[in-house]
Each structure stands twice: as C-alpha cells, then as structure tokens.
Amino acid sequence: EGAPADEPFTLLKDLRIRSSDINDCGAIAVATFLRATAESGKKDGGSTAQPQDQGKLQFLDLSDNNIGLQGALHLGRSLEVGMNKTVTSLILDFNVLGSEGASALCKGIATNSTIAVLSLKHCNIDSTGGEPISAMLAFKRIALTTLDLSGNNFVGFGLIQLCKGLQKNASLTTFRLADNNIRQTDEDVAALKAFGQVLLTHSKLCEIDLDYNHIGNKGGKILLPGVRENKQITTFKISEIDMDVLTYKELFRVPKGNNVKKKSKKKKKK
C-alpha cells in the first residue's frame, strides 16, 4: 500500500533529476520534500508517541537544472540543524547558484552533521564565495569528506578565504578546485602559500585536484614542501603548463594503476 495522501513518501534512497530545467521552483519543491520527511514523525510541537522513520533519501543529484539563489536558499534551509538528517551526498553541478546561492546553501549545510559529499562544479561561484564556504568548513561537527568546487572562478582571493576554513577543518579527505583561474599573480602566490600551509597541517586530506590552474613553476615550488611532507596525500593533480619537469614529477601523484597523466586540456564550461 502507498503512503497516505497527506504523508511524504519516505522509502526513496536515491533521487537524480538532471538536465530537466526544474529551476528554482523545482528545487523548492525538493526542499519541501526534504523538510516533510524530516517532520513526518512530528506532531504536537515535535513530540510523538511512536517515532516514525524520517526517510531514507541519501543521494540527491540536481545537476544542470538552472537552479539559482532561491532554490539554493530553500535547499540550505531544508538541510540545516533540526531538519533532514539522511542526505549524505548533494550534487548541484552546472547550476547558476552564483556566490550568493552558494552562501545561502552553505549557511544551512554548516550546521549539518550528515552530508559527506558536496559537489558545486561549474556553478558560477566567484571569489566572494570563498568566505561562506570557508565558514561551513570550519563548523566543528561537519561530516564533509569530499568538496568539489571545480570549474568556478575562485581565483587567488577565494582560495585564501577557503584556506581559513580548511585550517580549522578536520573531516575533509578530498578537495577539488580544478579550473578556477588561479595563476601566478601576487594574490595567487599568496593563496598558494596559504594552501601550502594547509597541506602541512591538515590531518586527513589525501586527494587534491588543482588541475587546469596555470600556477607554473613559481606556484609549484610553493606547494612542494607541503606535498613532500604530507605522506598521506595519494592524489595530487596539477597542470604542467609553465612548470619544469622535475617540479611537476614531484608534485603530481595518483594511486598505483592510475598513473597515466593526460595532457592538460581545458574542458568547455556549460
């Protein structure tokens, strides 16, 4: 038998709505579902004689759906403390969140101790998105292990902000910041120095992707001490453009059996 008409369907474990142009309205509907499943066992101010299943949804993928600020805001609210506690993976790649949307989303996730994977690839986030994402990373009870911010435009300033949160973070194992226009300006160099310190001190980071950022020999040499000293790093992807062979070989690493490095070729953004 199905669930009563006034109760949410709680058996769904995996929800993938991709490239369907659901925009903010669709994202708000999904957020409403997340809140409804969180509250499905509550009544009379949150008390219930027989606690009910909150729901089973763990994987949520809403990639490429033209979701912007309002959609991100509602999704964030549905995932904040006291709301949904089942979602462990949230994929919002190729949406139009912008830095404001990323900020709104992360304010909710900052109090979430369940989400382990967050992917915001190609979401039009610029350097101003660094601070709110950094605040999320610094949250002591955060469970996030994988953060993918590839294909945005954080540049050096955004990376400096991210490093402030990374220095306080103790959960992240995978960090991807590929293709973010980090190059060799003074600000970029300062950001790479800050990230080098993160590499030296972070207790769990083992997979890092900075590919398609043309940091050159100058940037590569800044990162070398951190990569050398941190023996737990198993994957470190970097662009070889403007970098000498020896520096590149010392930096680049992938797990055994996956050590063929393709020539850097920047992917087209959607």
Side-chain angles (χ1 to χ4, degrees), residues 70-141:
Q70 289 302 313
L73 177 64
H74 283 79
L75 286 170
R77 287 175 177 172
S78 71
L79 293 166
E80 63 190 11
V81 66
M83 301 306 294
N84 183 278
K85 297 178 182 177
T86 65
V87 174
T88 58
S89 296
L90 177 61
I91 316 297
L92 291 173
D93 302 339
F94 295 101
N95 280 296
V96 290
L97 304 185
S99 293
E100 282 189 276
S103 176
L105 177 72
C106 290
K107 281 179 183 175
I109 296 179
T111 59
N112 183 296
S113 57
T114 307
I115 292 177
V117 176
L118 176 62
S119 187
L120 302 176
K121 296 190 292 187
H122 300 278
C123 283
N124 295 348
I125 306 170
D126 63 21
S127 61
T128 60
E131 186 174 354
I133 295 175
S134 177
M136 174 190 70
L137 289 171
F139 178 56
K140 291 182 179 179
R141 294 181 58 198

Side-chain angles (χ1 to χ4, degrees), residues 134 137-138 160 162-170 193-195 197-198 201-202:
S134 177
L137 289 171
I160 289 173
L162 289 170
C163 286
K164 294 176 183 177
L166 287 168
Q167 287 167 348
K168 298 178 181 179
N169 176 271
K193 286 179 179 177
F195 190 63
Q197 287 301 307
V198 170
T201 59
H202 199 285

